[in-house]
Every structure is written in C-alpha cells, then in structure tokens.
Amino acid sequence: MHAITIPQPGGPEALVWTDVPDPVPGEGEVLVEVAASAVNRADILQRQGSYSPPPGASPYPGLECSGRIAALGPGVSGWAVGDEVCALLAGGGYAEKVAVPAGQLLPVPEGLSLRQAAALPEVVCTVWSNVFMVAHLRPDETLLVHGGSSGIGTMAIQLAKALGARVAVTAGTKEKLERCAELGADVLINYREQDFVAEIKQATDGAGADVILDNMGAKYLDRNVQALAVNGRLAIIGMQGGVKGELNIGALLGKRGAISATSLRGRPLGEKAAIVAAVREHVWPLLAAGDVRPIVDRELPMPEAAEAHRLVEASGHIGKVLLVAP
C-alpha cells in the first residue's frame, strides 16, 4: 500500500507518499481500507519531530479516518467486512489501509457521506470527553471556546448549543467569527482586537465562563483563570501558546476552580473505547437528526498532504481539512 511517511522531521515537504508494507490486524483489531483522513495539529507536531506515536502505534500520521472494513482480526465481533466506518486512531490515517482496535470504530452516521465521516472521530471524542465527561458542562452554563473556527471549535459550538448551553468563542477574523455565529455561537470575540477576559465578563454580567476549552496552554493560563466563573472548569487540550505558564493559585482558589489537561492519543485502549462508546450513545443521534454536522473546509488528495499541512499551519481554514485516499 501507500502511506505518508516522515523520513526526517521538518516542514511540510518532509511528508513523503511512498510504498510501505500492508498492516495486519492483530487480536481485537480490524483492517480498514481508508477513504479519507483529516489533518490535526498533532499531525503537524509529529511531522516536526515533537510528538511521537505511542509504543506499538503506526508510525504514519493521521489520528482519524473513514473507510470500509477489509478484514477482521482474531476475536472481533459486531463488525463485518464491508461495513462503512470511521475510527479514532493513534496514528496511520494518512495511508491506504490502517489497523484499528475494534473499540475505536464508529458506524458512519446516517445522512453523512463516507468522506465526511473522516472529520468526526478525533474532534467529537476530544470535545465530548473534555467538555462533557471531564468538565461536565450543563444546560444554561456558558462555554468559552478558544479557536472557535477550528475543527474542535466548530464541533464544540454545535454540541454545547444542542445540549442547551450558551457559547462564547474567540477567533482572529471577522469571517471566522461569522461562521461561528452561523453554527450558534452567542458571544463573538476577536482575540486580535479584544480582551477575551473583559468580553466574557461583560457578556455574563461579571460572572465569567463556567467551562473554558483551551488550545493555547501557557499563553492563556492566567487570563483563563481570570475569565472563569466561580466553580468554573478550565479544560486544556493544546499547547499552541507554550508549555510553561505561571499559575496564580490564589486566584484559582478564589474561584473554587478546576483545571484539567488531557490528550487522547496516548490513553489506554479501554479509556479510548469508553469515550468512543459515549460518543456513539450521545452524539451519533444528534448527527443523525442533523442537529450537529462536521464542518469540512476542503478536500485534498492524500499525496498532497504537504499542502494540507501548510493550510492548517497558516490557520487558513474553517473546520476540517480532509485528505482523500486515491
């Protein structure tokens, strides 16, 4: 088969489409013939040499895919060859085939195409696990989403609105904020021109955000704590703004606040399977009903992964960028 490899870490040109051995599904795994994958920030970090796959995972980038089951490994039940699926991966989505633990498979939701489904697993599992399973966002609470026009952001807006919360977002352009508003965002903050702490305070009559979904890390740590409501929860899922920040513990104590920081890729298989099962139970009905949908900016052929990375690195997209297998 062919896959995108990274012979040497570097810029987008480090991604090379080449012949590699076919994967073989092991115990409890299925082999998926990939229809499409999606670009995530973690793929860019891997290409740069700063985010290696977990032990035993595929060395190729790609944390989600959609496709058809081509073979079942030993001990797999509940799935059949030919089933159309999408999958949460620890790696290997940028390829023509990938072996996937059966617990990380999801059926393609009703009303969506096989390609569209590739935009779902990583973002939906990330949002559901952090915003709802860890931070316990409730109806009528306020969620602040940094990077509202990203794949994560566009999904977080829709899920929070579908479940009765109020949503504030930050983004860097008028166009991106308008798209967030179309998806249901109530409070629009241009982080290049406005102070999100002041804006969220004003929008909530001084209370602050009950939950903050943060992709920036260190750069926003202090201001995120300032922006929290009493009993607020800060969920950190990215480090685009650095890895080391100073935490004002007194301010956090005063808010009776909580901070969580999680990633999906390195979790044990059982934890991933539990998240996938929760997503299938709670989110898949919303997708089937049309209340939530993946936002796909554009599709590129998988051999053109370098161009897709350039686009995502430049933040020149809204929602997800897909890579379509030949």
Side-chain angles (χ1 to χ4, degrees):
M1 72 168 188
H2 284 79
I4 291 289
T5 62
I6 310 172
Q8 293 291 333
E13 68 281 354
L15 301 173
V16 180
W17 181 251
T18 190
D19 283 307
V20 297
D22 283 15
V24 177
E27 181 75 27
E29 294 183 333
V30 306
L31 183 67
V32 174
E33 184 176 337
V34 175
S37 186
V39 179
N40 289 282
R41 291 280 175 180
D43 304 333
I44 293 170
L45 295 176
Q46 180 175 339
R47 189 204 74 219
Q48 294 170 338
S50 59
Y51 192 27
S52 299
S58 169
Y60 317 127
L63 300 182
E64 56 194 337
C65 76
S66 62
R68 296 177 179 85
I69 294 178
L72 303 178
V76 173
S77 60
W79 299 98
V81 171
D83 284 350
E84 293 191 342
V85 297
C86 55
L88 180 69
L89 309 173
Y94 292 18
E96 292 179 318
K97 297 176 183 177
V98 64
V100 185
Q104 291 166 220
L105 290 176
L106 289 156
V108 173
E110 296 178 23
L112 294 185
S113 71
L114 185 59
R115 285 185 182 182
Q116 285 178 307
L120 289 171
E122 176 74 10
V123 294
V124 175
C125 288
T126 296
V127 172
W128 189 262
S129 61
N130 282 280
V131 175
F132 299 97
M133 297 175 73
V134 175
H136 302 291
L137 181 69
R138 294 182 287 270
D140 298 322
E141 288 191 324
T142 297
L143 169 68
L144 170 59
V145 181
H146 290 303
S149 63
S150 67
I152 293 288
T154 54
M155 182 56 63
I157 293 167
Q158 294 180 83
L159 285 177
K161 293 299 293 184
L163 296 169
R166 187 184 189 199
V167 180
V169 298
T170 64
T173 69
K174 179 181 178 182
E175 177 194 7
K176 290 182 176 181
L177 289 171
E178 288 173 349
R179 291 294 301 275
C180 291
E182 291 170 4
L183 294 172
D186 303 285
V187 181
L188 310 176
I189 304 167
N190 186 324
Y191 68 81
R192 300 183 191 276
E193 301 173 356
Q194 298 170 289
D195 174 10
F196 72 79
V197 177
E199 295 298 324
I200 196 66
K201 291 283 189 179
Q202 181 177 348
T204 58
D205 295 325
D210 299 290
V211 175
I212 300 176
L213 184 63
D214 175 56
N215 60 352
M216 293 301 292
K219 183 177 180 180
Y220 278 11
L221 180 59
D222 182 64
R223 285 191 289 161
N224 277 332
V225 172
Q226 294 177 44
L228 280 179
V230 173
N231 296 315
R233 292 85 73 195
L234 168 61
I236 300 173
I237 59 169
M239 302 174 291
Q240 293 181 42
V243 300
K244 293 184 178 181
E246 185 171 302
L247 174 64
N248 185 332
I249 297 175
L252 188 65
L253 284 169
K255 297 288 183 72
R256 298 193 295 277
I259 299 176
S260 62
T262 73
S263 66
L264 271 175
R265 191 178 199 183
R267 290 191 184 211
L269 295 182
E271 290 186 17
K272 291 182 183 178
I275 292 169
V276 169
V279 161
R280 185 170 183 176
E281 177 184 355
H282 297 286
V283 181
W284 251 230
L286 298 174
L287 287 159
D291 296 329
V292 173
R293 67 185 191 280
I295 305 302
V296 176
D297 187 288
R298 68 193 71 183
E299 300 178 359
L300 294 171
M302 195 170 288
E304 297 179 19
E307 181 58 31
H309 274 222
R310 291 186 185 98
L311 178 65
V312 172
E313 282 187 273
S315 296
H317 66 295
I318 294 173
K320 301 285 284 190
V321 175
L322 299 187
L323 294 172
V324 179

